[in-house]
Amino acid sequence: MTARVGVVTFPGTLDDRDTQRAIRVAGAEPVPLWHRDKDLHQVDAVVLPGGFSYGDYLRAGAISRFSPVMESIIAGAKDGLPVLGICNGFQVLTESHLLPGAMLRNNHLHFICRDQKLRVENADTAWTADYSAGQEISIPLKNIDGRYVADERTLDELEAEGRVVFRYLDVNPNGSLRDIAGISNAAGNVVGLMPHPEHAVEPLIGTGRTDGLGFFTSILKKLVTA
């Protein structure tokens, strides 16, 4: 049976089609989920893609957090449903308290778009099992509210528990504390990151590399072997 991975579309979402394509390239079935719909249509996992949901009014991800679909996703995540938040999706996950901390305006106050080098710090999550700890990958980054912050106690807990999943290499593009590019919850089923793996799954587009494909093959393998 083909694994079904839901992709949520909020008003202002930009990367839902790219994410659906990445899921399809990995060999799973993408299932579109509308923000007003509480029904997750029996998906096996969910991706919150990038964009500017609700125009990022009030605060990035703050309004999306109250969308009807998020009620089901929050409940599902607490029961083990794998959830990946990319860029704006990461912001939604912090606003939903599925992940700790917050995302603030980049420290240089500019939108940034570049190929970004990352180091994989944790290859044991539902979304990173096809990588190796210490592996260096390059995937596109594009954001203006990408600076990850948290209090020192939370940062220390993330470090101690191995929940820093990705770290920026060579340059910190947005001022994120401790060079954090992505984190997970304690169970490892919820992961959020700012860079965009869905734009690096085919050699002819994005970075010209396939470094992002591992996110989608990782979850496929987990679902197939679960």
Side-chain angles (χ1 to χ4, degrees), residues 122-174:
N122 184 343
D124 294 326
T125 78
W127 299 91
T128 58
D130 261 3
Y131 296 103
S132 301
Q135 183 177 347
E136 297 181 4
I137 63 175
S138 180
I139 59 177
L141 172 77
K142 48 177 184 171
N143 64 70
I144 192 169
D145 295 302
R147 180 161 55 108
Y148 180 75
V149 299
D151 61 80
E152 286 298 311
R153 179 179 176 181
T154 298
L155 292 170
D156 289 342
E157 287 180 354
L158 291 172
E159 300 276 14
E161 296 173 7
R163 293 168 55 193
V164 176
V165 182
F166 296 96
R167 224 180 287 269
Y168 295 116
L169 285 183
D170 296 342
V171 62
N172 185 324
N174 45 36

Side-chain angles (χ1 to χ4, degrees), residues 199-219:
H199 295 318
V201 298
E202 295 178 290
L204 294 180
I205 59 174
T207 60
R209 301 163 56 133
T210 59
D211 289 5
L213 186 59
F215 284 83
F216 307 101
T217 56
S218 292
I219 192 60

Side-chain angles (χ1 to χ4, degrees), residues 1-57:
M1 187 173 71
T2 303
R4 292 162 49 84
V5 181
V7 180
V8 179
T9 300
F10 300 100
T13 294
L14 302 179
D15 297 305
D16 45 349
R17 297 294 181 89
D18 303 77
T19 303
Q20 290 175 28
R21 181 175 179 81
I23 292 166
R24 194 175 294 112
V25 169
E29 177 188 352
V31 179
L33 300 175
W34 184 235
H35 70 113
R36 289 185 179 274
D37 191 357
K38 289 185 180 181
D39 185 359
L40 297 183
H41 301 288
Q42 298 180 315
V43 297
D44 303 300
V46 171
V47 180
L48 304 177
F52 299 89
S53 60
Y54 292 92
D56 277 352
Y57 294 124

Side-chain angles (χ1 to χ4, degrees), residues 36-199:
R36 289 185 179 274
D37 191 357
K38 289 185 180 181
D39 185 359
L40 297 183
H41 301 288
Q42 298 180 315
V43 297
D44 303 300
V46 171
V47 180
L48 304 177
F52 299 89
S53 60
Y54 292 92
D56 277 352
Y57 294 124
L58 182 61
R59 189 173 58 248
I63 299 176
S64 299
R65 179 260 178 272
F66 295 100
S67 292
V69 72
M70 287 306 300
E71 295 181 29
S72 301
I73 291 172
I74 291 169
K78 291 178 179 179
D79 286 336
L81 177 72
V83 179
L84 175 67
I86 302 170
C87 196
N88 191 235
F90 187 9
Q91 294 160 347
V92 175
L93 291 177
T94 60
E95 292 289 339
S96 303
H97 304 297
L98 288 175
L99 293 175
M103 311 303 302
L104 300 181
R105 186 61 51 97
N106 295 346
N107 60 345
H108 45 72
L109 304 181
H110 295 288
F111 181 86
I112 186 169
C113 182
R114 52 169 290 154
D115 291 344
Q116 178 64 49
K117 197 172 182 181
L118 305 175
R119 183 173 62 241
V120 180
E121 302 282 28
N122 184 343
D124 294 326
T125 78
W127 299 91
T128 58
D130 261 3
Y131 296 103
S132 301
Q135 183 177 347
E136 297 181 4
I137 63 175
S138 180
I139 59 177
L141 172 77
K142 48 177 184 171
N143 64 70
I144 192 169
D145 295 302
R147 180 161 55 108
Y148 180 75
V149 299
D151 61 80
E152 286 298 311
R153 179 179 176 181
T154 298
L155 292 170
D156 289 342
E157 287 180 354
L158 291 172
E159 300 276 14
E161 296 173 7
R163 293 168 55 193
V164 176
V165 182
F166 296 96
R167 224 180 287 269
Y168 295 116
L169 285 183
D170 296 342
V171 62
N172 185 324
N174 45 36
S176 291
L177 297 181
R178 304 194 189 182
D179 299 328
I180 290 174
I183 62 173
S184 75
N185 67 342
N189 63 302
V190 179
V191 171
L193 79 161
M194 286 310 296
H196 287 259
E198 77 280 11
H199 295 318

